[in-house]
Amino acid sequence: MINPAKRTKSIELSQVRKMFEITNPDAINLGIGEPDFDVPENIKQAMKDSIDDNETHYTPNKGYIELREEIVKKFKNDNGIKTNTDNIIVTVGASEALFMCAQAFIDKGDEVILPNPSFLSYEACINLAGGTIVPVDCKMENEFKLKADDVAEKITKDTKAIMLNSPSNPTGAVMEKEDIKAIADLSNDNDILVISDEIYEKIIYNKKHYSPGKYSDNVITLNGFSKAYAMTGLRIGYLNANETFNEELLKIHQYNSACASSTSQRGAYAALSGPQDEVTKMVAEFEKRRDLIVSRLNEMGYETVNAEGAFYVFPKIEDKDFVTKAAKAGVITVPGEAFGSNGIGHVRMSYANSYENIEKAMNILEERVVNG
Ligand code: PMP
């Protein structure tokens, strides 16, 4: 018998993916983690042109220089982060960037402070690298926002990294500027790495996004095109890391993927250098849906935070059978416990589905689950 490596055995396949596999095709899917919009036309055209121009060869390991120049501009304009093209690595989605951070920096025994609840991949990547997870509570009474004081309490001599994700998957919480800054200060004072996953940065409502990378050089900033430009299947993301960090990250990237797809990189260039009105339209539509889903859930008696970002809500639903009952009635959701112990008693619902479908889904829940 050929056994898999112990590290692989120690982790599980994603519960979110499993939910989709059992999905009835007619069910309304509020489990999904990707925008339901199409890729904007200018991006599609750039990718078609790149194929016609035979740009189908390897690119530099760190990505096309023109794209990295646009990313440098983006970091300066949107995030107040001063960087240069050498510090940027274009990756196969933010997923690869995350994996690279864990492989390049986390050793067995290193502690990683991880928001609870948080995106499933964080735990898996830290476990695969042999790190120890130190959960820090994101409490509903704080609207699930991670607080710097709670992070500070978790720091020990073994703390290697702090994982941040604002706006958050699964709660939609957007951290406050003072907490972001205080965590950046903690990283400077204690020589701790901050891995800041900012993939939902653009999907934010009446609130400003702040990057810890503006305040500390110990921060690796992760971002990508999956959410803001609906480019999930094109697998394209990027990171910014200082010169010393960058070299270690590049080793993992070189041997893992060599470079991100040339075609997707051309699309990403068009995304950053072209008009941003499609992003604005998409965010306005998400905001309407957020308002709808939050008010309907609250009316049903499920306490729901009016989340300020991403496209998820995380209502308090104590009925353990809710997810199964909802699925049987035709609405797919994800059990909150998939995202950590603080997710117990909550359900993640994504509103990356049409307004009409969300309305229908809420009617089904009201008629067949709450009153059923
Ligand atoms: N981070 C978070 C918080 C996510 O929700 C996701 C996608 N669900 C990713 C990273 C991965 O994004 P990508 O498609 O760029 O790999």
Side-chain angles (χ1 to χ4, degrees):
M1 170 144 144
I2 300 172
N3 287 317
K6 288 190 194 71
R7 62 177 175 276
T8 322
K9 269 280 215 200
S10 75
I11 64 165
E12 278 183 31
L13 278 174
S14 156
Q15 290 195 38
V16 180
R17 292 270 147 224
K18 267 194 238 162
M19 279 305 294
F20 297 156
E21 280 156 24
I22 58 166
T23 301
N24 150 9
D26 298 328
I28 299 173
N29 197 339
L30 304 186
I32 204 129
E34 64 175 332
D36 54 314
F37 300 95
D38 293 328
V39 171
E41 279 308 321
N42 65 314
I43 301 177
K44 285 189 191 168
Q45 194 55 52
M47 293 192 289
K48 290 179 200 169
D49 292 346
S50 90
I51 294 191
D52 288 340
D53 294 343
N54 291 310
E55 286 186 306
T56 49
H57 301 274
Y58 287 127
T59 79
N61 289 134
K62 288 189 182 185
Y64 284 131
I65 187 71
E66 300 86 339
L67 173 57
R68 284 185 283 137
E69 279 164 1
E70 283 303 314
I71 295 171
V72 166
K73 278 193 225 159
K74 187 249 167 251
F75 273 124
K76 177 166 173 273
N77 298 338
D78 293 351
N79 310 98
I81 297 175
K82 284 195 208 92
T83 185
N84 60 62
T85 50
D86 286 341
N87 288 355
I88 308 295
I89 304 178
V90 178
T91 58
V92 182
S95 299
E96 191 208 358
L98 174 67
F99 185 78
M100 285 156 60
C101 290
Q103 289 299 312
F105 289 96
I106 311 301
D107 268 325
K108 204 168 161 44
D110 284 343
E111 292 180 359
V112 181
I113 299 177
L114 187 67
N116 178 5
S118 62
F119 177 47
L120 304 159
S121 297
Y122 301 151
E123 186 176 336
C125 285
I126 297 163
N127 283 340
L128 274 178
T132 304
I133 288 165
V134 177
V136 56
D137 293 338
C138 298
K139 302 178 193 110
M140 194 173 194
E141 72 225 43
N142 292 332
E143 301 180 335
F144 301 113
K145 294 175 191 209
L146 181 63
K147 294 289 166 198
D149 288 346
D150 294 335
V151 171
E153 273 178 25
K154 301 286 176 181
I155 293 177
T156 72
K157 63 172 185 17
D158 293 322
T159 307
K160 184 65 168 284
I162 303 167
M163 188 74 224
L164 297 186
N165 175 220
S166 178
S168 152
N169 174 8
T171 65
V174 176
M175 287 176 67
E176 299 300 328
K177 180 185 180 186
E178 70 252 26
D179 290 302
I180 295 274
K181 169 131 192 351
I183 290 171
D185 292 344
L186 284 173
S187 87
N188 277 335
D189 297 346
N190 299 281
D191 277 335
I192 296 171
L193 176 69
V194 172
I195 304 167
S196 181
D197 177 351
E198 304 183 16
I199 190 133
Y200 292 101
E201 160 189 28
K202 299 274 175 196
I203 305 173
I204 192 163
Y205 319 109
N206 309 313
K207 182 96 185 161
K208 194 168 161 20
H209 167 80
Y210 290 95
S211 296
K214 180 178 175 179
Y215 309 108
S216 166
D217 207 29
N218 284 349
V219 179
I220 301 178
T221 309
L222 316 186
N223 212 323
F225 298 86
S226 286
K227 314 290 172 175
Y229 303 95
M231 291 170 68
T232 45
L234 295 158
R235 312 305 309 122
I236 183 97
Y238 55 92
L239 62 77
N240 177 53
N242 74 37
E243 217 176 285
T244 355
F245 292 168
N246 202 290
E247 194 175 320
E248 304 310 313
L249 292 161
L250 187 60
K251 291 180 197 167
I252 309 295
H253 178 63
Q254 274 187 350
Y255 297 118
N256 179 44
S257 64
C259 66
S261 141
S262 54
T263 306
S264 301
Q265 289 191 51
R266 286 301 182 210
Y269 174 81
L272 288 184
S273 61
Q276 301 297 305
D277 31 327
E278 292 297 320
V279 183
T280 315
K281 268 195 241 160
M282 181 176 74
V283 175
E285 178 58 32
F286 275 140
E287 189 175 2
K288 280 194 220 146
R289 298 174 187 179
R290 190 270 321 251
D291 292 347
L292 170 70
I293 200 166
V294 169
S295 66
R296 289 294 303 268
L297 288 166
N298 278 323
E299 276 161 27
M300 282 182 234
Y302 298 130
E303 189 186 345
T304 307
V305 173
N306 193 26
E308 292 164 312
F311 38 66
Y312 307 104
V313 285
F314 207 59
K316 188 169 180 179
I317 300 184
E318 275 153 330
D319 176 359
K320 284 195 189 66
D321 300 323
F322 177 92
V323 172
T324 322
K325 284 190 212 162
K328 281 191 189 144
V331 180
I332 307 299
T333 58
V334 181
E337 66 211 60
F339 306 95
S341 60
N342 284 343
I344 296 173
H346 293 268
V347 172
R348 190 190 76 173
M349 295 184 196
S350 151
Y351 46 93
N353 206 322
S354 69
Y355 194 92
E356 294 68 37
N357 276 345
I358 295 168
E359 228 163 12
K360 267 192 224 159
M362 292 301 115
N363 291 343
I364 294 173
L365 293 182
E366 190 166 295
E367 284 156 25
R368 301 194 39 203
V369 180
V370 184
N371 302 324

